[in-house]
Coordinates of all heavy atoms in Angstrom, one line a residue:
E1 N -9.3 -4.0 4.3 CA -9.3 -4.0 2.9 C -9.9 -2.7 2.3 O -9.3 -2.1 1.4 CB -10.1 -5.2 2.3 CG -9.5 -6.6 2.6 CD -10.3 -7.7 2.0 OE1 -11.2 -7.4 1.2 OE2 -10.0 -8.9 2.3
Q2 N -11.0 -2.3 2.8 CA -11.6 -1.1 2.3 C -10.8 0.2 2.6 O -10.7 1.1 1.7 CB -13.0 -0.9 3.0 CG -14.0 -2.1 2.6 CD -15.2 -2.0 3.4 OE1 -15.5 -1.1 4.2 NE2 -16.1 -3.1 3.3
A3 N -10.2 0.2 3.7 CA -9.3 1.4 4.1 C -8.1 1.4 3.1 O -7.7 2.6 2.7 CB -8.8 1.3 5.5
F4 N -7.5 0.4 2.8 CA -6.3 0.4 1.9 C -6.8 0.7 0.5 O -6.1 1.4 -0.3 CB -5.6 -1.0 1.9 CG -4.4 -1.1 1.1 CD1 -3.2 -0.6 1.6 CD2 -4.4 -1.6 -0.2 CE1 -2.0 -0.6 0.8 CE2 -3.2 -1.6 -1.0 CZ -2.0 -1.1 -0.5
A5 N -8.0 0.2 0.1 CA -8.4 0.4 -1.3 C -8.7 1.9 -1.6 O -8.7 2.3 -2.8 CB -9.7 -0.4 -1.5
R6 N -8.9 2.7 -0.6 CA -9.2 4.1 -0.8 C -8.1 4.8 -1.5 O -8.3 5.7 -2.3 CB -9.5 4.8 0.5 CG -10.8 4.4 1.2 CD -11.3 5.3 2.3 NE -12.3 4.6 3.1 CZ -12.1 4.1 4.3 NH1 -10.9 4.1 4.8 NH2 -13.2 3.6 4.9
N7 N -6.9 4.5 -1.2 CA -5.7 5.2 -1.8 C -4.7 4.1 -2.3 O -3.5 4.5 -2.2 CB -5.0 6.1 -0.8 CG -5.9 7.3 -0.5 OD1 -6.3 8.1 -1.3 ND2 -6.3 7.4 0.8
D8 N -5.1 3.0 -2.7 CA -4.1 1.9 -3.0 C -3.2 2.3 -4.1 O -2.0 2.1 -4.0 CB -4.9 0.6 -3.3 CG -5.9 0.7 -4.4 OD1 -6.1 1.9 -4.9 OD2 -6.6 -0.3 -4.7
L9 N -3.7 2.8 -5.2 CA -2.8 3.1 -6.4 C -1.8 4.3 -6.0 O -0.7 4.2 -6.3 CB -3.7 3.5 -7.6 CG -4.3 2.4 -8.4 CD1 -5.2 3.0 -9.5 CD2 -3.3 1.4 -8.9
L10 N -2.3 5.3 -5.3 CA -1.4 6.4 -5.0 C -0.4 5.9 -4.0 O 0.8 6.3 -4.1 CB -2.2 7.6 -4.4 CG -3.2 8.3 -5.4 CD1 -4.0 9.3 -4.6 CD2 -2.3 9.0 -6.4
T11 N -0.8 5.1 -3.0 CA 0.2 4.6 -2.0 C 1.3 3.8 -2.7 O 2.5 4.0 -2.4 CB -0.5 3.7 -1.0 OG1 -1.5 4.5 -0.3 CG2 0.5 3.1 0.0
L12 N 0.9 3.0 -3.6 CA 2.0 2.1 -4.3 C 2.8 3.0 -5.2 O 4.0 2.8 -5.4 CB 1.3 1.1 -5.2 CG 0.5 0.0 -4.4 CD1 -0.2 -0.9 -5.3 CD2 1.6 -0.9 -3.6
A13 N 2.2 4.1 -5.8 CA 3.0 4.9 -6.8 C 4.0 5.8 -6.1 O 5.1 6.1 -6.7 CB 2.0 5.8 -7.5
V14 N 3.8 6.1 -4.8 CA 4.8 6.9 -4.1 C 5.5 6.1 -3.0 O 6.1 6.7 -2.1 CB 4.2 8.2 -3.6 CG1 3.6 9.0 -4.7 CG2 3.1 7.9 -2.5
C15 N 5.5 4.8 -3.0 CA 5.9 4.0 -1.9 C 7.4 4.1 -1.8 O 7.9 3.7 -0.6 CB 5.5 2.6 -2.1 SG 6.2 1.7 -3.4
Q16 N 8.2 4.5 -2.7 CA 9.6 4.6 -2.5 C 10.0 5.9 -1.7 O 11.2 6.1 -1.5 CB 10.3 4.7 -3.9 CG 10.2 3.4 -4.8 CD 11.0 2.3 -4.1 OE1 11.9 2.5 -3.4 NE2 10.6 1.0 -4.5
A17 N 9.0 6.6 -1.3 CA 9.3 7.9 -0.6 C 10.0 7.6 0.7 O 10.8 8.4 1.2 CB 8.1 8.7 -0.4
V18 N 9.6 6.5 1.4 CA 10.2 6.3 2.8 C 10.7 4.9 2.8 O 10.1 3.9 2.3 CB 8.9 6.4 3.8 CG1 9.5 6.2 5.2 CG2 8.3 7.8 3.7
P19 N 11.9 4.7 3.5 CA 12.4 3.3 3.6 C 11.4 2.4 4.3 O 10.7 2.9 5.2 CB 13.6 3.6 4.5 CG 14.0 5.0 4.3 CD 12.8 5.7 4.0
I20 N 11.4 1.2 3.9 CA 10.5 0.1 4.4 C 9.1 0.2 3.9 O 8.4 -0.8 3.7 CB 10.5 0.1 6.0 CG1 11.9 0.0 6.5 CG2 9.6 -1.0 6.5 CD1 11.9 0.0 8.0
L21 N 8.6 1.4 3.4 CA 7.3 1.5 2.9 C 7.1 0.7 1.6 O 6.0 0.2 1.5 CB 7.0 3.0 2.6 CG 5.6 3.3 2.1 CD1 4.6 3.0 3.2 CD2 5.5 4.8 1.8
P22 N 8.0 0.5 0.7 CA 7.7 -0.3 -0.5 C 7.3 -1.8 -0.1 O 6.4 -2.3 -0.6 CB 9.0 -0.3 -1.3 CG 9.7 1.0 -0.9 CD 9.3 1.2 0.6
E23 N 8.1 -2.4 0.9 CA 7.8 -3.7 1.3 C 6.5 -3.8 2.0 O 5.7 -4.7 1.8 CB 8.9 -4.2 2.2 CG 10.3 -4.2 1.6 CD 11.1 -3.0 1.8 OE1 10.5 -1.9 1.8 OE2 12.3 -3.1 2.2
V24 N 6.2 -2.8 2.9 CA 5.0 -2.8 3.7 C 3.7 -2.6 2.7 O 2.8 -3.3 2.8 CB 5.0 -1.7 4.7 CG1 3.6 -1.5 5.3 CG2 6.0 -1.9 5.8
S25 N 3.9 -1.7 1.8 CA 2.9 -1.4 0.8 C 2.5 -2.7 -0.1 O 1.3 -3.0 -0.3 CB 3.2 -0.3 -0.1 OG 3.4 0.9 0.6
A26 N 3.5 -3.4 -0.5 CA 3.4 -4.6 -1.4 C 2.6 -5.7 -0.5 O 1.7 -6.3 -1.0 CB 4.7 -5.1 -1.9
V27 N 3.1 -5.9 0.7 CA 2.4 -6.9 1.5 C 1.1 -6.5 1.9 O 0.1 -7.4 1.8 CB 3.3 -7.1 2.8 CG1 2.5 -8.1 3.8 CG2 4.6 -7.7 2.5
M28 N 0.8 -5.2 2.2 CA -0.5 -4.7 2.6 C -1.5 -4.9 1.3 O -2.7 -5.2 1.5 CB -0.5 -3.3 3.0 CG 0.0 -3.1 4.4 SD -1.0 -4.0 5.7 CE -2.6 -3.3 5.3
A29 N -1.0 -4.7 0.1 CA -1.8 -4.9 -1.1 C -2.3 -6.3 -1.2 O -3.5 -6.6 -1.5 CB -1.0 -4.5 -2.3
G30 N -1.4 -7.2 -0.9 CA -1.8 -8.6 -0.9 C -2.8 -9.0 0.2 O -3.8 -9.7 0.1
V31 N -2.5 -8.4 1.4 CA -3.5 -8.7 2.6 C -4.8 -8.1 2.2 O -5.8 -8.7 2.6 CB -2.9 -8.0 3.9 CG1 -3.9 -8.0 4.9 CG2 -1.6 -8.7 4.3
A32 N -4.9 -7.0 1.6 CA -6.1 -6.3 1.2 C -6.8 -6.9 0.0 O -7.8 -6.5 -0.4 CB -5.9 -4.8 1.1
R33 N -6.1 -7.9 -0.6 CA -6.7 -8.6 -1.7 C -6.8 -7.7 -2.9 O -7.9 -7.8 -3.6 CB -7.9 -9.4 -1.4 CG -7.7 -10.5 -0.4 CD -8.8 -11.4 -0.1 NE -8.6 -12.5 0.8 CZ -8.0 -13.6 0.4 NH1 -7.7 -13.8 -0.9 NH2 -7.8 -14.6 1.3

């Protein structure tokens, strides 16, 4: 959770950069609460 939280907003903001990353980022955001 803490590792994802360090760059959570930036990761989500550019998640369309790589295929599959949007889905992974969304699920990881939920996992990281």
Side-chain angles (χ1 to χ4, degrees):
E1 292 183 12
Q2 294 168 9
F4 185 82
R6 292 191 192 105
N7 292 300
D8 53 1
L9 283 178
L10 289 175
T11 299
L12 293 172
V14 300
C15 66
Q16 294 292 337
V18 181
I20 301 176
L21 185 59
E23 299 93 320
V24 172
S25 299
V27 174
M28 284 301 305
V31 170
R33 297 186 175 276

